[in-house]
Short mmCIF file of all heavy atoms in Angstrom, two decimals:
data_model
loop_
_atom_site.label_atom_id
_atom_site.label_comp_id
_atom_site.label_asym_id
_atom_site.label_seq_id
_atom_site.Cartn_x
_atom_site.Cartn_y
_atom_site.Cartn_z
N LYS M 773 77.75 -59.43 188.28
CA LYS M 773 77.17 -58.15 188.68
C LYS M 773 77.25 -57.96 190.19
O LYS M 773 77.54 -56.86 190.67
CB LYS M 773 75.72 -58.06 188.21
CG LYS M 773 75.58 -57.90 186.70
CD LYS M 773 74.12 -57.83 186.27
CE LYS M 773 73.46 -56.56 186.76
NZ LYS M 773 72.05 -56.44 186.26
N SER M 774 77.01 -59.02 190.94
CA SER M 774 76.98 -58.89 192.40
C SER M 774 78.38 -58.71 192.99
O SER M 774 78.55 -58.04 194.02
CB SER M 774 76.31 -60.11 193.04
OG SER M 774 77.06 -61.29 192.80
N THR M 775 79.38 -59.31 192.36
CA THR M 775 80.75 -59.20 192.86
C THR M 775 81.52 -58.05 192.24
O THR M 775 82.56 -57.64 192.76
CB THR M 775 81.53 -60.50 192.59
OG1 THR M 775 81.60 -60.73 191.17
CG2 THR M 775 80.84 -61.69 193.24
N GLY M 776 81.02 -57.54 191.11
CA GLY M 776 81.72 -56.47 190.42
C GLY M 776 82.95 -56.93 189.66
O GLY M 776 83.78 -56.11 189.26
N ALA M 777 83.07 -58.25 189.47
CA ALA M 777 84.24 -58.80 188.78
C ALA M 777 83.80 -59.95 187.88
O ALA M 777 82.84 -60.66 188.20
CB ALA M 777 85.27 -59.30 189.77
N PRO M 778 84.45 -60.13 186.74
CA PRO M 778 84.06 -61.24 185.87
C PRO M 778 84.31 -62.59 186.52
O PRO M 778 85.22 -62.73 187.33
CB PRO M 778 84.97 -61.05 184.63
CG PRO M 778 86.11 -60.23 185.11
CD PRO M 778 85.57 -59.35 186.19
N VAL M 779 83.49 -63.54 186.17
CA VAL M 779 83.69 -64.90 186.65
C VAL M 779 84.78 -65.55 185.79
O VAL M 779 85.27 -64.97 184.82
CB VAL M 779 82.38 -65.72 186.55
CG1 VAL M 779 81.31 -65.12 187.44
CG2 VAL M 779 81.89 -65.82 185.10
N ASP M 780 85.16 -66.76 186.15
CA ASP M 780 86.07 -67.56 185.32
C ASP M 780 85.30 -68.83 184.97
O ASP M 780 85.35 -69.82 185.69
CB ASP M 780 87.35 -67.89 186.07
CG ASP M 780 88.27 -68.83 185.29
OD1 ASP M 780 88.10 -68.91 184.06
OD2 ASP M 780 89.11 -69.49 185.91
N ALA M 781 84.55 -68.78 183.87
CA ALA M 781 83.65 -69.87 183.53
C ALA M 781 83.81 -70.28 182.07
O ALA M 781 84.23 -69.47 181.23
CB ALA M 781 82.19 -69.46 183.80
N ALA M 782 83.48 -71.52 181.79
CA ALA M 782 83.67 -72.06 180.44
C ALA M 782 82.48 -72.88 180.01
O ALA M 782 81.93 -73.66 180.80
CB ALA M 782 84.94 -72.91 180.38
N VAL M 783 82.12 -72.72 178.74
CA VAL M 783 81.12 -73.57 178.09
C VAL M 783 81.81 -74.29 176.95
O VAL M 783 82.49 -73.67 176.14
CB VAL M 783 79.94 -72.74 177.54
CG1 VAL M 783 78.97 -73.64 176.77
CG2 VAL M 783 79.22 -71.99 178.66
N VAL M 784 81.65 -75.61 176.91
CA VAL M 784 82.13 -76.39 175.78
C VAL M 784 80.94 -77.10 175.17
O VAL M 784 80.31 -77.95 175.82
CB VAL M 784 83.21 -77.42 176.19
CG1 VAL M 784 83.71 -78.18 174.95
CG2 VAL M 784 84.37 -76.73 176.90
N ASN M 785 80.59 -76.72 173.96
CA ASN M 785 79.45 -77.30 173.26
C ASN M 785 79.90 -78.37 172.27
O ASN M 785 81.03 -78.33 171.79
CB ASN M 785 78.65 -76.22 172.54
CG ASN M 785 77.89 -75.33 173.48
OD1 ASN M 785 77.54 -75.74 174.59
ND2 ASN M 785 77.61 -74.11 173.07
N THR M 786 79.00 -79.28 171.96
CA THR M 786 79.32 -80.37 171.05
C THR M 786 78.60 -80.17 169.73
O THR M 786 77.40 -80.41 169.60
CB THR M 786 78.95 -81.73 171.66
OG1 THR M 786 79.54 -81.85 172.95
CG2 THR M 786 79.46 -82.86 170.77
N SER M 787 79.35 -79.69 168.75
CA SER M 787 78.84 -79.56 167.41
C SER M 787 79.26 -80.80 166.62
O SER M 787 79.50 -81.86 167.19
CB SER M 787 79.35 -78.27 166.76
OG SER M 787 78.75 -78.07 165.51
N SER M 788 79.36 -80.68 165.32
CA SER M 788 79.76 -81.82 164.48
C SER M 788 80.13 -81.28 163.11
O SER M 788 79.61 -80.24 162.66
CB SER M 788 78.59 -82.80 164.33
OG SER M 788 78.84 -83.72 163.28
N GLU M 789 81.01 -81.99 162.43
CA GLU M 789 81.32 -81.64 161.05
C GLU M 789 80.10 -81.75 160.14
O GLU M 789 80.11 -81.26 159.02
CB GLU M 789 82.45 -82.52 160.54
CG GLU M 789 83.78 -82.22 161.22
CD GLU M 789 84.79 -83.33 161.02
OE1 GLU M 789 84.75 -84.31 161.80
OE2 GLU M 789 85.61 -83.23 160.09
N ALA M 790 79.04 -82.36 160.65
CA ALA M 790 77.80 -82.45 159.88
C ALA M 790 77.26 -81.06 159.54
O ALA M 790 76.59 -80.89 158.52
CB ALA M 790 76.75 -83.25 160.65
N PHE M 791 77.55 -80.07 160.38
CA PHE M 791 77.05 -78.72 160.09
C PHE M 791 77.79 -78.10 158.92
O PHE M 791 77.33 -77.14 158.30
CB PHE M 791 77.12 -77.83 161.34
CG PHE M 791 78.35 -76.97 161.47
CD1 PHE M 791 78.38 -75.68 160.95
CD2 PHE M 791 79.47 -77.43 162.16
CE1 PHE M 791 79.51 -74.88 161.09
CE2 PHE M 791 80.59 -76.63 162.31
CZ PHE M 791 80.61 -75.35 161.77
#
Side-chain angles (χ1 to χ4, degrees):
K773 289 179 68 176
S774 65
T775 62
V779 298
D780 175 21
V783 176
V784 182
N785 288 334
T786 307
S787 186
S788 166
E789 292 163 276
F791 95 90

